[in-house]
Every structure is written in structure tokens, then in C-alpha cells.
Amino acid sequence: MTQITIRRPDDWHLHLRDGAMLAAVLPETTRHFARAIIMPNLIPPVIKSTDAAAYRDRILAAIPEGDTFEPLMTLYLTENTDPADVRAAHADGLIKAVKLYPAGATTNSASGVTNFDNVRATLETMAEIGLPLCIHGEVTDHDIDIFDREAVFLDRVLDPIRRANPGLKTISEHLTTKDGVDYVMSQDNAGATITTHHMIINRNHILAGGIKPHYYCLPVAKREEHRLALRAAATSGDKRFFLGTDSAPHTDGAKLAPCGCAGCFTATNTMSILAQVFEEENALDKLEGFASLNGPAFYGLPVNDDTITLTKGDPVTYPDHIPTPDGPVTVFQTGSDLLWSVDT
Ligand code: NCD
Ligand code: ZN
């Protein structure tokens, strides 16, 4: 097969930032994607419905002319979140999910949750109204090895949350382990996003033969067996797994530093990379499910009406970086030519 037409994809986990960065990176998403779940980890975070409404308006104002794009807003869960505000924002159609960051787990997560007793009322409300909880699934304990933090989270945090809130729809974001895949497959009402880059890189790509800051993200890529489990899950057709790129722009200055930021920027070339991954796994017929159907089904939203066409041919050139007033943002590189081009 050298050409495939699929419904227009959505990105179920995306960082757009704000201001000049938002303006610079948004076109990279709207070119191919119809909708995206917008992460709320701004500084300060998007905590209240009024914050989400204002942020949505800034995103809408930055959409390039000619593109149609719907930002699907989220609220950042804190121990002070008001369940009534969440309920109202959901009833208005303003938000499509709430995001749980364990405090300190990743970029701008300082306002996240430490004591889960303090968010119980919000989680109960969400279960009642059918609003999904997007979860950054890593423990933050300093005595837990960074490569084990996702697996430990499943036992210590995710499973207790799910047992305490049987009706709550949870989405394990950016899965990086076979343990995570196995857990999601053992559950009802559980979904998971898988990123593009975690299907390409394992931890050797970050650390062997010199450190590669552009491959450093959180959760950090794990061993090869985990990468293979993620590819198998994404290409299996199992409706619990869908695309969330976690495309996370940081300038080169912020990445290439003694304490570099976590995040891979994949919005630009994700669809070409995915076509290659699904072709390699003999699963091109599953690409539409992963990128365009399973996400809306889990969120209870309609699928997109229009389509994109991917064609295999000569190598496709994408920019190495996206310029911003604060400096360039490097686009994720797989290390080999991309042969699938995208027509919209
Ligand atoms: C994200 C970011 O930069 O906001 N970074 C990352 O490595 N994925 C935060 C996140 O999703 O963990
Ligand atoms: Zn993210």
C-alpha cells in the first residue's frame, strides 16, 4: 500500500504554551489535526473555568487563516479545585477533561496533587458527570528510580484512584511501559495515550554515544521491550489506545542547558512518522483507529468529517526547527528519512 486516506486525526495530549510560543507552534498542529486536548500546565496553570475560557480565546485568536481547529480545554487539578466549577465548565462544554499532575512530576507541575484525599470530591463529581481524568502517571518519590516511576504509580496511585472511583474514566497519558499497557488492557473505563516519540526511541537513544537532550522527555523513554509493547498496543486496534503526541515545545536554549527541560516537539512530522511506524508493523489499516477514531470514542465526541491522505514516495522534508522570538524549537528527528507525505 502506498497511499492511505483516513479521517482527519486529533491529538489527545498537546502542549501549546502561550504568547509568542503559542503563535509559533500552533500552525504545526492545525496543519494536520482537527482538534487537540490542550494541556493546562502554563505558568500560572489553567486552574479555574475562567482561566480555561481565556486561554481558549487566545488559542482561537492564534489559529492561522484557512485552518479550522478546535482546542479541547482541560483544567489543572489542584487540592483547591472547586467541584462546582468543574461541573459548570463541563456543562457549558468548555472543558473536555481534568488533568492530574502529581506535584513535582514534570514541567510546571508544582501546583499538582500531593494528598489525594483533598481531590476526592472533584473525582466523585467527574465520575458522576462522565468527565475523563487525564493522568501524568509517575510517582515523584526521590527514592524511586526515574525509570520505575510509571510502574510504581500504577500500583500505588492509579489503581487505588480507580478502585475508589469505579465510574471514573481515566486516561493514562503518554504511556512508556509494558506495565502500563498491561494495566490499561486489564481495565474497563480506562484509556491511554501513546506518543509518537515513545514508539521511536528507547533509553539508549537518549544516553548511548553521547547525551541527546532533544530525546529527553517525561516520562523518560524506557528499555527496548517497553518501546515494542507501546508499538504493539498502538497498532493492535484496541480502542483503549489513541494518539496523544505530548508535543512539548521548549527552545533550544532551554533544552541544551546544564539542567535541560523535558519535552519532544513532534507536532510537525507526527503523521509522517506514524505512517512509517504502522507500515513497519504491517498495520496501516489500524492507523485511522489510533489517530482519528479511538480518541473521540473514548471522549464521547463525534469523529471528524474530513480526511487526510498519506502517500509514500520520495523523502519528505520537514523543517529542522520552528523559529520563535525566544529562539528555535527543534523538531523531533527519527534519524532516518520519512517517506510518507501528508495531503490535507
Ligand atoms: C511536558 C512539558 O514540557 O510541558 N514535558 C514532557 O517532557 N512531556 C510536560 C509533560 O507532559 O510531562
Ligand atoms: Zn505532556
Side-chain angles (χ1 to χ4, degrees):
M1 206 192 306
T2 56
Q3 191 167 74
I4 171 174
T5 296
I6 62 171
R7 281 184 194 265
R8 186 174 294 278
D10 303 304
D11 185 347
W12 299 94
H13 181 130
L14 176 67
H15 298 271
L16 287 176
R17 317 299 188 206
D18 214 339
M21 181 65 92
L22 165 65
V25 300
L26 183 59
E28 301 305 303
T29 287
T30 62
R31 197 172 296 131
H32 296 161
F33 295 92
R35 298 172 290 193
I37 284 278
I38 310 299
M39 286 296 127
N41 63 332
L42 303 182
I43 313 171
V46 179
I47 292 175
K48 297 191 172 134
S49 55
T50 46
D51 305 329
Y55 186 31
R56 180 192 56 190
D57 290 348
R58 297 196 295 280
I59 296 168
L60 292 175
I63 296 172
E65 259 196 60
D67 285 356
T68 45
F69 177 72
E70 185 185 358
L72 306 173
M73 308 309 291
T74 62
L75 294 180
Y76 185 121
L77 182 64
T78 75
E79 294 183 20
N80 298 316
T81 292
D82 176 4
D85 186 50
V86 171
R87 187 187 288 275
H90 172 255
D92 288 351
L94 173 64
I95 60 163
K96 294 291 180 278
V98 170
K99 174 74 189 228
L100 164 63
Y101 290 101
T106 187
T107 310
N108 305 338
S109 60
S111 318
V113 177
T114 305
N115 182 350
F116 283 84
D117 287 341
N118 294 335
V119 297
R120 195 183 301 139
T122 301
L123 298 185
E124 281 170 11
T125 298
M126 292 171 61
E128 183 199 322
I129 63 182
L131 182 63
L133 180 68
C134 295
I135 300 173
H136 185 109
E138 288 188 288
V139 293
T140 54
D141 316 48
H142 294 291
D143 60 330
I144 306 291
D145 190 277
I146 191 165
F147 291 101
D148 297 333
R149 288 181 178 189
E150 180 172 297
V152 172
F153 184 90
L154 301 169
D155 284 343
R156 285 200 195 163
V157 186
L158 180 59
D159 201 53
I161 289 178
R162 289 182 48 82
R163 282 176 196 277
N165 301 278
L168 183 66
K169 284 175 154 181
T170 61
I171 301 167
S172 293
E173 301 279 31
H174 40 50
L175 275 189
T176 60
T177 58
K178 179 173 187 306
D179 314 60
V181 167
D182 290 345
Y183 181 82
V184 169
M185 288 177 65
S186 74
Q187 302 288 307
D188 295 328
N189 269 344
T193 54
I194 297 177
T195 75
T196 314
H197 52 281
H198 286 118
M199 289 193 272
I200 300 292
I201 59 168
N202 62 33
R203 63 196 205 178
N204 277 10
H205 292 84
I206 313 171
L207 295 170
I211 192 160
K212 316 286 189 328
H214 291 304
Y215 286 159
Y216 172 62
C217 68
L218 287 171
V220 68
K222 311 292 193 299
R223 289 175 181 275
E224 177 65 358
E225 64 183 292
H226 298 291
R227 185 184 73 100
L228 296 178
L230 297 170
R231 284 171 77 107
T235 59
S236 67
D238 187 320
K239 291 185 168 32
R240 285 170 284 208
F241 299 101
F242 38 93
L243 173 64
T245 65
D246 194 17
S247 185
H250 294 279
T251 61
D252 283 358
K255 294 279 302 170
L256 310 177
C259 184
C261 291
C264 297
F265 184 75
T266 54
T268 308
N269 52 10
T270 273
M271 290 313 299
S272 290
I273 299 174
L274 286 181
Q276 180 190 313
V277 167
F278 278 68
E279 182 189 27
E280 287 166 359
E281 301 292 330
N282 284 320
L284 273 173
D285 59 323
K286 304 290 193 324
L287 177 59
E288 184 178 45
F290 181 69
S292 315
L293 306 179
N294 300 349
F298 192 86
Y299 274 88
L301 295 171
V303 297
N304 297 313
D305 283 333
D306 61 341
T307 59
I308 64 168
T309 297
L310 295 131
T311 308
K312 190 176 182 189
D314 293 334
V316 193
T317 1
Y318 285 105
D320 295 338
H321 66 269
I322 306 302
T324 84
D326 301 327
V329 171
T330 291
V331 175
F332 179 80
Q333 302 293 326
T334 63
S336 57
D337 282 340
L338 295 176
L339 302 180
W340 289 86
S341 63
V342 185
D343 292 310
T344 60

